[in-house]
């Protein structure tokens, strides 16, 4: 059985393998989508394919939408060549339940895959053509937090952003430049309205997205590429909106074990591939069942009826409710626990996060970060109970052994999110109590991340760090620190812990900088020092 339009015609074989197929004609939907796109998505990796693609699949099944999603890649172009084109853009969704059972379904809702790449003229022109269509309603994104960043920690533009600013819209390379360039194309061809929807784990993601696009456009205006009227178009939220969102679905990298099982059941060519940008991706996507997507209902050109999906966890609401939901997840319940435990998991030798959740010190750290220090500041969005949300995470989702979620994945790009995940709580304590000295679990978590950056585990063995754009800079600042020699710590952390671009606050002004230094000092004393320190502070 091949995961292609032609391969799906043998429906009986797929059904015998326990794999559900679309009730609609995916090929016909694709043709209609190409003629009149309504929904573009950028950042076409795993969580998009199973979660957002699954929402669109439901809408197509119910007859609530007659076109699929147009997939536009802005970074890892290999995905189009290796995962989309060979499989006619089909996705095999594998939902992993805590009891070991799985639900498998082919999704036919991803109708076209395009590279927003100026050097490939046909692909670039097709991207423009899509954005010129007045019927296009929304552009959603899952490009991770770093995709919206224009500047380094020191406030200067990244080199690739400087290139985009100087080269102008026709040679846009970064995600924010591509979005701005495509908005210009739309503006020049009728000024049709559009919603630009970040679905990434960023605090106030819609605001951050809007600011980044506007900054790019303003830099282009300074250089004569665009006029003030184009900026006015972007600034007018009745024309171009940037709805805020909260998204939640744990989506680990594709499992080779699942690939083997699918091939055993007769599905051909299911093995994962690694792209040139180090994305681990496969024709299938495996993920947990629970999922949440809370969206500000601000769509000036209309939108799909996403809230009419069943069990998809989609809520259309107002900005304040979205903000509270996002803060609940990103600053208290989920992401802070991932960020606290991921680095320690690597240092303590855990590969799977579910195994780490059995560790008494790690479980205590999770409880303190969430229930103790976080719950005091958590906003209640009303549509979701913070305590029930956290209970589900601690009791069901995090311990799910069938997810195969790794501690290494939880360490990807920590520098880009640690300020959001801990900084908001620290600032709350400063506002309420004058400082954050009463915090312990969060300082332990930050010290653990710094200890992880030394790339030496608690037994003294070296390990590989997960991708993170600030690792070289951080390691340079930490030069001279030696595991096994606590006296080698001689102020190297000062510049890091006082950096508000990293932590959203000067941690010394918050009253926890010295505490973090002391915890870190104890953790580098020698083999077993990390475990000993955790027992001391989490007793």
């Amino acid at each position: 059985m091949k995961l292609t339009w032609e391969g799906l015609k043998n429906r009986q074989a797929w059904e015998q393998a326990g794999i559900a197929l679309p009730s609609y004609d995916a090929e016909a939907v694709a043709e209609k989508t190409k003629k009149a796109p309504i929904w573009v998505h950028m950042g076409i990796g795993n969580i998009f394919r199973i979660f957002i693609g699954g929402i669109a699949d439901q809408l197509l099944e119910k007859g609530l939408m007659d076109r699929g999603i147009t997939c536009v890649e802005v970074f890892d172009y290999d995905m189009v060549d290796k995962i989309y084109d060979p499989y006619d853009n089909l996705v095999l969704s594998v939902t992993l339940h805590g009891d070991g059972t799985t639900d498998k379904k082919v999704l036919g809702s991803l109708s076209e895959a395009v590279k927003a790449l100026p050097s490939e003229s046909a692909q670039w022109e097709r991207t423009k053509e899509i954005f010129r269509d007045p019927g296009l309603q929304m552009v959603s994104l899952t490009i991770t937090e770093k995709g919206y960043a224009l500047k380094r920690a020191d406030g200067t533009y990244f080199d690739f952003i400087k290139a985009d600013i100087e080269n102008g819209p026709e040679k846009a390379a970064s995600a924010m430049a591509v979005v701005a360039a495509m908005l210009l194309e739309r503006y020049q061809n009728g000024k049709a309205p559009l919603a630009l929807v970040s679905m990434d784990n960023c605090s106030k993601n819609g605001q951050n997205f809007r600011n980044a696009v506007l900054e790019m456009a303003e830099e282009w205006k300074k250089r004569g590429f665009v006029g003030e009227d184009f900026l006015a178009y972007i600034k007018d939220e009745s024309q171009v909106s940037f709805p805020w969102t909260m998204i939640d679905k744990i989506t680990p990298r594709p499992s080779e074990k699942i690939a083997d099982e699918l091939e055993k059941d007769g599905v051909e060519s299911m093995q994962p591939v690694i792209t040139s940008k180090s994305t681990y991706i496969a024709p299938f996507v495996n993920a947990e069942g629970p999922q949440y997507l809370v969206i500000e209902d601000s769509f000036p050109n209309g939108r799909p009826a996403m809230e009419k999906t069943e069990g998809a966890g989609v809520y259309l609401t107002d900005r304040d409710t979205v903000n509270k939901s996002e803060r609940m997840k990103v600053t208290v319940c989920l992401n802070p626990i991932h960020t606290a435990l991921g680095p320690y998991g690597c240092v303590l030798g855990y590969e799977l996060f579910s195994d780490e959740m059995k560790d008494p010190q790690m479980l205590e750290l999770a409880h303190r970060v969430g229930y103790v220090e976080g719950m005091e500041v958590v906003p209640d969005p009303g549509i979701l109970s913070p305590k029930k949300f956290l209970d589900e995470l601690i009791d069901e989702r995090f311990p799910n052994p069938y997810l195969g979620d790794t501690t290494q994945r939880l360490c990807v790009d920590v520098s880009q999110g640690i300020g959001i995940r801990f900084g908001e709580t620290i600032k709350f304590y400063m506002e309420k109590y004058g400082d954050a000295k009463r915090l312990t679990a969060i300082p332990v978590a930050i010290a653990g991340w710094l200890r992880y950056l030394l790339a030496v585990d608690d037994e003294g063995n070296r390990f590989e760090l997960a991708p993170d754009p600030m690792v070289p800079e951080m390691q340079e600042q930490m030069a001279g620190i030696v595991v096994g020699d606590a006296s080698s710590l001689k102020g190297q952390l000062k510049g890091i812990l006082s950096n508000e671009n990293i932590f959203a606050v000067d941690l010394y002004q918050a009253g926890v900088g010295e505490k973090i230094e002391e915890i870190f000092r104890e953790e580098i004393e020698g083999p077993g020092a990390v475990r000993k320190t955790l027992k001391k502070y989490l007793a």
Side-chain angles (χ1 to χ4, degrees):
M1 300 183 294
K2 291 184 177 180
L3 187 63
T4 60
W5 289 333
E6 185 64 30
L8 295 191
K9 292 178 180 178
N10 185 4
R11 297 187 69 90
Q12 185 177 0
W14 290 89
E15 289 164 4
Q16 286 178 348
I19 301 171
L21 298 182
S23 63
Y24 52 89
D25 185 336
E27 191 171 2
V29 166
E31 287 303 311
K32 191 166 187 177
T33 304
K34 289 176 184 177
K35 292 176 182 176
I38 57 169
W39 184 350
V40 161
H41 189 92
M42 293 180 167
I44 57 177
N46 291 320
I47 191 170
F48 156 67
R49 295 162 73 216
I50 195 167
F51 191 176
I52 313 307
I55 291 169
D57 180 74
Q58 268 207 47
L59 293 173
L60 287 165
E61 295 271 10
K62 292 174 175 289
L64 296 170
M65 192 164 76
D66 62 358
R67 279 156 285 179
I69 301 177
T70 303
C71 309
V72 175
E73 184 49 37
V74 292
F75 175 68
D76 197 341
Y77 308 109
D78 278 359
M79 289 195 287
V80 175
D81 297 327
K82 295 183 177 182
I83 292 299
Y84 279 80
D85 288 351
Y87 300 92
D88 291 334
N89 306 323
L90 297 170
V91 183
L92 208 170
S93 162
V94 182
T95 301
L96 308 166
H97 301 294
D99 61 1
T101 60
T102 61
D103 293 327
K104 297 186 280 289
K105 187 179 192 300
V106 173
L107 309 179
S109 55
L110 310 185
S111 296
E112 182 180 11
V114 183
K115 304 174 192 176
L117 188 59
S119 62
E120 293 193 20
S121 57
Q123 294 283 299
W124 187 242
E125 181 55 38
R126 175 57 185 155
T127 308
K128 288 183 177 181
E129 184 181 14
I130 291 163
F131 274 81
R132 285 196 292 263
D133 194 303
L136 182 63
Q137 297 178 331
M138 65 180 287
V139 180
S140 50
L141 290 85
T142 48
I143 58 173
T144 74
E145 291 158 316
K146 65 183 177 183
Y148 305 88
L150 305 183
K151 297 177 179 178
R152 302 182 182 90
D154 63 5
T156 60
Y157 285 118
F158 290 113
D159 290 342
F160 65 91
I161 295 295
K162 283 195 291 186
D164 278 338
I165 289 171
E166 298 299 333
N167 293 334
E170 279 305 310
K171 295 182 180 179
S174 67
M176 295 301 97
V178 169
V179 170
M182 292 305 119
L183 280 176
L184 179 62
E185 191 71 23
R186 193 168 181 82
Y187 170 77
Q188 293 171 335
N189 289 273
K191 306 180 187 179
L194 189 65
L196 295 166
V197 191
S198 168
M199 295 181 177
D200 281 296
N201 287 320
C202 312
S203 181
K204 302 177 182 178
N205 52 14
Q207 178 177 302
N208 293 339
F209 188 11
R210 183 175 189 266
N211 290 344
V213 172
L214 271 172
E215 186 169 351
M216 182 62 65
E218 286 166 353
E219 292 291 344
W220 283 344
K221 178 178 176 291
K222 293 176 186 176
R223 289 156 180 80
F225 291 116
V226 303
E228 182 62 40
D229 49 352
F230 174 55
L231 267 70
Y233 169 67
I234 300 175
K235 291 176 181 177
D236 183 355
E237 291 212 36
S238 69
Q239 285 288 100
V240 180
S241 69
F242 292 82
W244 296 15
T245 68
M246 182 277 273
I247 189 169
D248 175 27
K249 186 178 182 71
I250 298 173
T251 309
R253 76 181 200 177
S255 163
E256 293 177 0
K257 180 181 177 183
I258 291 173
D260 292 341
E261 291 173 354
L262 290 169
E263 290 183 345
K264 186 178 179 181
D265 289 337
V267 188
E268 299 177 26
S269 305
M270 286 290 105
Q271 294 300 322
V273 299
I274 301 175
T275 69
S276 60
K277 296 291 180 65
S278 300
T279 302
Y280 201 89
I281 197 164
F284 66 93
V285 182
N286 47 245
E288 64 172 349
Q291 58 187 34
Y292 302 90
L293 179 59
V294 186
I295 309 175
E296 178 188 359
D297 197 356
S298 177
F299 292 81
N301 205 28
R303 62 169 175 79
M306 294 175 283
E307 77 280 10
K308 293 185 179 180
T309 51
E310 294 179 8
V314 180
Y315 302 83
L316 271 293
T317 183
D318 58 80
R319 179 172 292 186
D320 183 60
T321 302
V322 173
N323 191 36
K324 288 178 179 177
S325 300
E326 186 273 338
R327 283 192 61 197
M328 176 193 74
K329 171 190 178 263
V330 174
T331 70
V332 174
C333 293
L334 193 155
N335 299 88
I337 295 174
H338 272 168
T339 300
L341 270 63
Y344 274 118
C346 293
V347 173
L348 295 175
Y350 288 106
E351 180 180 352
L352 295 179
F353 183 47
S354 57
D355 289 338
E356 187 183 1
M357 284 298 293
K358 299 172 187 175
D359 185 299
Q361 277 80 50
M362 292 296 93
L363 194 56
E364 179 64 20
L365 181 57
H367 274 82
R368 290 202 193 183
V369 167
Y371 289 107
V372 179
E373 297 180 353
M375 202 56 69
E376 182 174 345
V377 310
V378 70
D380 188 342
I383 58 174
L384 299 167
S385 160
K387 186 178 183 305
K388 288 182 180 178
F389 185 83
L390 186 52
D391 287 345
E392 181 185 54
L393 288 166
I394 297 293
D395 298 335
E396 300 174 32
R397 297 172 64 187
F398 289 165
N400 183 347
Y402 301 100
L403 268 180
D405 203 9
T406 65
T407 56
Q408 181 88 178
R409 185 189 76 86
L410 303 184
C411 296
V412 173
D413 297 336
V414 167
S415 69
Q416 306 301 290
I418 197 166
I420 295 167
R421 290 158 192 179
F422 298 135
E424 294 301 314
T425 298
I426 292 170
K427 285 190 286 186
F428 175 90
Y429 277 78
M430 291 173 69
E431 291 168 6
K432 185 172 181 179
Y433 301 110
D435 59 49
K437 291 181 179 179
R438 64 190 61 215
L439 294 175
T440 296
I442 287 176
V444 167
I446 294 172
W449 175 56
L450 296 171
R451 173 63 180 79
Y452 155 87
L453 289 173
L454 298 178
V456 177
D457 69 20
D458 202 27
E459 294 181 355
N461 303 310
R462 300 201 64 81
F463 63 87
E464 184 177 350
L465 298 180
D468 186 314
M470 284 194 68
V471 161
E473 181 181 339
M474 300 284 285
Q475 289 187 324
E476 183 178 340
Q477 291 186 66
M478 297 172 70
I481 299 175
V482 178
V483 175
D485 181 7
S487 66
S488 65
L489 179 62
K490 297 176 180 178
Q492 294 97 323
L493 302 184
K494 300 289 185 187
I496 297 172
L497 297 177
S498 61
N499 192 332
E500 296 184 30
N501 289 315
I502 299 175
F503 296 104
V505 63
D506 181 330
L507 295 178
Y508 294 100
Q509 291 181 8
V512 294
E514 291 82 359
K515 180 184 284 190
I516 294 168
E517 281 196 52
E518 183 55 33
I519 296 167
F520 177 86
R521 187 189 308 277
E522 293 176 36
E523 291 186 338
I524 64 168
E525 287 181 350
V530 173
R531 177 66 71 184
K532 179 181 176 182
T533 304
L534 287 169
K535 288 180 178 178
K536 172 183 173 180
Y537 286 92
L538 300 175

